[in-house]
């Protein structure tokens, strides 16, 4: 039986005062299982970033529940949420969020260092991840000396260093050129299939979404469509393009 990692139940988010609130998400429900690779798409204003913030514990819903590894995020204290993020969640952002004052290897192992891991163990693990992501020859460089693709792959290594149950990626290819995007997505596919890492990615890019196994399309705060890969990546990509055309939007 597939293990549930994330269960979202009747999620709602309303911004503003009572009686004058603006609903951003309305009755969102879905389940993410171990080894899943899920992409969330939708037009601007559809609520996809709000949804990512809610399911990754950054924000709290107005109504509904988010259950991660059996823990209902809506009932946890700030201290408990902080521990859950440290132990169970990896984050990848569009802007990399690397520290310019540290070389790449130190950036990658920073979560382990903050967690009290022995330096030798942390460095060994960081170097192993860096080799997997093609960064072995760049570990002594500072972020300003790296390309955008190298920085994003380094940020991905940092997100994986604590062996999280799930990785949340917010437009990870948004600032990359096509080659760097493809390199990063190939790494995502590799860690998903070989290391069984569970990934939830928000993206506006049909090509990026085609690397996922499941795609949820949001519109006006609701799930408009859910499609399962099941076929080749090329066929899945074409299906996503067809959905974009049908919705009359580039899903950005």
């Amino acid at each position: 039986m597939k293990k549930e990692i994330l269960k979202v139940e009747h999620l709602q988010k309303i911004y503003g005062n009572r009686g004058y609130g603006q609903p951003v998400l309305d009755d969102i429900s879905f389940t993410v299982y171990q080894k899943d690779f899920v992409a969330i798409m939708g037009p601007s204003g559809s609520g996809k970033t709000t949804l990512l913030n809610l399911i990754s514990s950054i924000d709290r819903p107005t109504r509904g529940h988010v259950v991660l590894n059996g823990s209902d995020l809506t009932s946890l204290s700030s201290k408990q949420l902080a521990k859950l993020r440290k132990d169970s969640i990896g984050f990848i952002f569009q802007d990399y969020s690397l520290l310019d004052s540290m070389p790449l290897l130190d950036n990658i192992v920073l979560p382990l260092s903050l967690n009290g891991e022995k330096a030798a163990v942390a460095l060994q693990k960081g170097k192993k991840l860096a080799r997997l992501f093609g960064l072995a020859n760049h570990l002594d460089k500072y972020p300003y000396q790296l390309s955008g693709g190298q920085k994003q792959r380094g940020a991905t290594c940092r997100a994986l260093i604590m062996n999280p149950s799930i990785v949340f990626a917010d437009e990870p290819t948004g600032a990359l050129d096509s080659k760097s995007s493809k390199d990063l997505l190939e790494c995502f596919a590799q860690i998903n299939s070989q290391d069984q890492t569970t990934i939830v990615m928000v993206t506006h890019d049909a090509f990026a979404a085609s690397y996922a196994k499941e795609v949820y399309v949001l519109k006006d705060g609701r799930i408009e469509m859910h499609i399962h890969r099941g076929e080749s990546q090329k066929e899945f990509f074409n299906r996503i393009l067809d959905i974009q055309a049908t919705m009359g939007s580039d899903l950005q």
Side-chain angles (χ1 to χ4, degrees):
M1 180 180 292
K2 296 171 69 176
K3 178 184 176 182
E4 288 185 2
I5 296 293
L6 176 71
K7 190 173 184 64
V8 180
E9 298 178 310
H10 305 295
L11 207 62
Q12 184 183 57
K13 183 66 176 179
I14 299 175
Y15 288 111
N17 297 322
R18 184 176 297 179
Y20 299 94
Q22 175 65 38
V24 180
L25 294 175
D26 187 21
D27 199 27
I28 299 286
S29 297
F30 63 92
T31 302
V32 176
Y33 296 93
Q34 190 176 37
K35 309 177 193 177
D36 273 357
F37 185 173
V38 174
I40 299 171
M41 303 184 75
S44 178
S46 62
K48 56 185 184 293
T49 298
T50 299
L51 176 58
L52 186 71
N53 289 341
L54 295 177
I55 63 178
S56 65
S57 80
I58 294 174
D59 196 5
R60 292 182 183 268
T62 306
R63 294 187 184 88
H65 297 275
V66 179
V67 180
L68 179 62
N69 275 348
S71 297
D72 189 340
L73 304 189
T74 59
S75 64
L76 298 183
S77 66
S78 297
K79 185 176 181 180
Q80 289 171 323
L81 283 173
K83 185 178 187 306
L84 181 139
R85 293 185 196 108
K86 177 175 71 71
D87 295 341
S88 301
I89 298 175
F91 292 98
I92 304 170
F93 303 102
Q94 182 176 332
D95 63 357
Y96 322 125
S97 298
L98 297 177
L99 298 177
D100 286 331
S101 59
M102 290 182 174
L104 181 60
L105 180 57
D106 288 350
N107 266 286
I108 291 173
V109 304
L110 181 60
L112 282 178
S113 300
L114 294 175
N115 202 43
E117 184 61 84
K118 293 181 180 179
V121 175
L123 293 174
Q124 182 181 25
K125 190 169 184 179
K127 289 176 181 177
K128 181 179 178 180
L129 272 173
R131 286 195 297 271
L132 176 65
F133 282 78
L135 295 170
N137 296 325
H138 304 284
L139 293 177
D140 293 330
K141 295 180 181 178
Y142 288 81
Y144 65 85
Q145 297 174 304
L146 301 171
S147 68
Q150 290 165 346
K151 285 188 280 191
Q152 192 60 296
R153 279 179 278 141
T156 301
C157 290
R158 183 186 57 193
L160 295 170
I161 198 77
M162 294 286 287
N163 293 320
S165 299
I166 190 168
V167 172
F168 293 104
D170 188 6
E171 298 281 7
T173 62
L176 305 181
D177 59 40
S178 58
K179 182 183 183 305
S180 296
S181 295
K182 189 174 187 297
D183 289 343
L184 179 67
L185 292 165
E186 293 287 353
C187 289
F188 277 16
Q190 182 176 353
I191 62 173
N192 175 249
S193 63
Q194 295 183 10
D195 299 336
Q196 302 182 352
T197 302
T198 305
I199 303 171
V200 177
M201 173 179 67
V202 163
T203 183
H204 68 272
D205 179 27
F207 181 69
S210 72
Y211 276 81
K213 297 174 181 175
E214 313 281 341
V215 173
Y216 290 93
V217 180
L218 299 186
K219 185 177 181 182
D220 299 328
R222 289 176 171 269
I223 294 177
E224 180 80 3
M225 198 171 299
H226 170 212
I227 53 175
H228 176 74
R229 182 167 171 171
E231 319 91 355
S232 70
Q233 183 186 348
K234 182 177 180 180
E235 291 171 340
F236 195 44
F237 175 55
N238 289 330
R239 288 183 66 196
I240 296 170
L241 290 177
D242 289 341
I243 289 171
Q244 289 179 327
T246 301
M247 293 182 66
S249 168
D250 58 4
L251 297 183
Q252 293 183 1

